[in-house]
Amino acid sequence: MTVSPARRAAYDALLQVETQEAFANLALAAAVAEHGLDAQQAATATELVNGTARLMGTYDRIIARAARRELSTLEPAVVTVLRLSTHEQLSMRTPVHAAVDEAVNLGRIAVGHRVTGVINAIARKVGINDLSGWVQALSADEDELSALGTRTHHPRWIADVYDYLLGDDAEAGLLANNTPAVPTLVVRPGLVERDELSEPGLEPTPYSPFGFRRPGNPGGLKEVRQGRAGVQDEGSQLMAWLLALAPTTEEIADLGWLDLCAGPGGKAALLAGLARQRGGWLLASEKAPHRAELVRKAMARYPDRWQVITADGLAPAWQPRSFARVMADVPCTGIGSLRRRSESRWRRTEEQLEELVALQAGLLAQAWAATAEGGVLAYVTCSPHPLETVEQVQAFLDTHPEAELLDAPALLPDVPEAAHPDEPLMVQLWPHRHGTDAMFGALLRRGPST
């Protein structure tokens, strides 16, 4: 009995996601390298891993119902095999008998002969229905929000957020998270301009003047290999562009820019280029040493006018009011980037919000302390959750009368429907409307202290 290298690599990656809380993209990259997959095999493994991880919560409910037992009663390795088989049967349209045979072979080789019987029985029962039929059965007795989550393959609490903000458009917004994003790249200002790129297949981003989309491996583009371009979602590019466009006073023009939570470095590299074009410089701060190293690599092609430090944003390593422009792209639930982070919708929970919101408030306070009078702070998240976005900023404004909320959407006139539904001076982007992550951004300018 043999198992295809792509399927074995996918199994190894997903088992790490399940048992070690690994990130799917990193586990997949390691498995592809370990098994020496060619381009076609790697593409198959990518679909198996990302597709399975993206619908994992739905698949787990289907498997549990087919097995008539809780998944906790099965070994993690067996659950991983069954998830892969469920994805192949219900989303890849692999014939049931073929998917079951492959699951049994994989279980025998990866786990042992003793589990083949249970894998065979459960996988066959999964195949008695198609995905839409299973979804209909799972949602039959659910309330409206739970059914919305089931139909779109999201936990109820995420469906609730989208329903609150988007109303009748919520289902379209949630479904957009299930379509993998085409890799979006960004030029490094001052190193290469977008109109200099001539490779076939490049599609300029509609809103960011620095971005372009390119299917396939980003490393296939020589500008990426050279460090003159990098990978960055268009929404993230627009948040950096917002900070650069925001008006500041002339008196602080010679002050530097600060990226408070700079890892992994895409936004910092774009800010470094924008600062250099204006005669400025950038300090990029990152708490985690390995992420700080990624920031250094992202900016390495710039010869000067930047520095990376390993420092905690809650314990500043700089003097107060030292920067003309400050980027606070704070840690968040990440529910705005679900297209690219396939497993995160099932890993994040609503219970984690309280701790994250407290961290965000602390980082926002320190970012503000670093902002000079007349300077601007950009508060950014890759989450649309009100507690992490509008309510966080409004709570800050209530206690800081010297802070002026700028009209951020007005700085992006070519981006339609960019205003947040609850606060028209803040920006909220959406995958189904803008083709970006659901990025949030607010601009705060420091006025004279009272």
Side-chain angles (χ1 to χ4, degrees):
M1 297 293 180
T2 60
V3 175
S4 72
R7 188 172 285 102
R8 183 54 196 257
Y11 165 83
D12 289 348
L14 287 169
L15 188 60
Q16 287 188 43
V17 172
E18 173 67 14
T19 61
Q20 302 176 31
E21 294 192 352
F23 293 107
N25 62 329
L26 300 180
L28 173 62
V32 167
E34 180 181 351
H35 290 275
L37 304 188
D38 60 29
Q40 184 175 356
Q41 293 169 332
T44 300
T46 298
E47 168 55 30
L48 287 169
V49 170
N50 290 339
T52 301
R54 189 172 294 115
L55 271 63
M56 187 179 297
T58 302
Y59 292 160
D60 284 357
R61 294 176 65 191
I62 293 171
I63 294 167
R65 185 165 291 199
R68 296 184 179 180
R69 61 195 287 188
E70 297 293 329
L71 263 62
S72 59
T73 65
L74 298 170
E75 296 178 52
V78 172
V79 173
T80 299
V81 172
L82 289 169
R83 286 170 175 166
L84 278 168
S85 180
T86 301
H87 181 64
E88 289 193 70
Q89 292 184 61
L90 303 185
S91 295
M92 295 180 71
R93 299 185 179 180
T94 302
V96 173
H97 69 276
V100 172
D101 287 347
E102 291 291 352
V104 171
N105 290 341
L106 177 58
R108 179 182 290 112
I109 292 172
V111 188
H113 187 275
R114 60 185 172 78
V115 302
T116 57
V118 68
I119 290 174
N120 179 72
I122 298 173
R124 287 187 182 279
K125 289 181 181 178
V126 167
I128 65 174
N129 217 336
D130 60 14
L131 183 57
S132 61
W134 276 115
V135 167
Q136 185 176 358
L138 293 174
S139 61
D141 298 323
E142 293 182 324
D143 63 31
E144 186 175 345
L145 276 178
S146 295
L148 174 62
T150 298
R151 287 197 307 274
T152 60
H153 312 292
H154 289 76
R156 186 185 194 279
W157 72 276
I158 296 179
D160 190 10
V161 171
Y162 277 66
D163 181 68
Y164 169 75
L165 293 171
L166 291 172
D168 293 340
D169 217 16
E171 188 151 354
L174 290 163
L175 288 173
N177 291 332
N178 298 334
T179 302
V182 175
T184 304
L185 309 179
V186 61
V187 296
R188 309 292 195 212
L191 299 178
V192 63
E193 299 303 320
R194 190 168 67 175
D195 58 9
E196 296 177 33
L197 305 178
S198 58
E199 180 179 305
L202 297 182
E203 177 189 352
T205 49
Y207 309 123
S208 167
F210 314 104
F212 52 97
R213 296 189 177 99
R214 179 186 184 276
N217 180 10
L221 192 68
K222 72 175 187 298
E223 286 80 5
V224 173
R225 297 194 302 272
Q226 296 167 347
R228 297 190 296 150
V231 179
Q232 187 180 17
D233 179 73
E234 186 181 12
S236 182
Q237 296 176 37
L238 289 173
M239 294 302 112
W241 186 225
L242 263 180
L243 179 60
L245 291 172
T248 63
T249 58
E250 293 184 5
E251 292 80 2
I252 61 170
D254 59 339
L255 295 183
W257 299 15
L258 171 67
D259 189 350
L260 187 71
C261 307
K267 197 177 286 90
L270 178 53
L271 288 171
L274 294 171
R276 283 173 55 84
Q277 288 181 336
R278 303 181 184 198
W281 54 276
L282 176 77
L283 176 66
S285 176
E286 171 54 46
K287 180 179 179 180
H290 70 283
R291 287 170 63 86
E293 184 58 31
L294 292 176
V295 180
R296 291 187 185 92
K297 290 180 179 179
M299 297 197 291
R301 283 299 299 266
Y302 288 114
D304 53 21
R305 306 190 74 82
W306 62 269
Q307 183 180 2
V308 178
I309 61 173
T310 303
D312 187 347
L314 295 175
W318 46 82
Q319 294 297 317
R321 305 194 186 188
S322 298
F323 300 95
R325 301 178 192 271
V326 177
M327 170 61 70
D329 185 359
V330 297
C332 66
T333 56
I335 63 172
S337 56
L338 299 180
R339 301 176 307 155
R340 294 183 295 105
R341 300 174 183 175
S342 53
E343 80 287 353
S344 61
R345 73 184 69 182
W346 310 112
R347 179 171 290 172
R348 287 295 192 186
T349 66
E350 196 169 16
E351 289 69 31
Q352 295 171 313
L353 267 174
E354 183 177 353
E355 182 178 350
L356 280 169
V357 168
L359 173 61
Q360 292 159 4
L363 290 169
L364 175 55
Q366 293 298 342
W368 184 246
T371 307
E373 186 172 310
V376 175
L377 159 67
Y379 175 80
V380 173
T381 74
C382 57
S383 165
H385 199 293
L387 290 177
E388 302 183 273
T389 56
V390 170
E391 294 184 25
Q392 185 75 263
V393 175
Q394 289 175 338
F396 177 84
L397 290 169
D398 288 343
T399 57
H400 292 79
E402 77 282 8
E404 175 191 2
L405 180 64
L406 299 181
D407 188 348
L411 297 175
L412 301 174
D414 296 329
V415 182
E417 301 181 272
H420 193 282
D422 286 346
E423 176 45 74
L425 298 184
M426 304 179 193
V427 167
Q428 180 62 65
L429 305 177
W430 298 101
H432 68 297
R433 291 178 180 172
H434 306 104
T436 69
D437 288 348
M439 298 294 296
F440 167 87
L443 295 175
L444 302 170
R445 183 165 57 192
R446 181 187 279 278
S449 299
T450 57

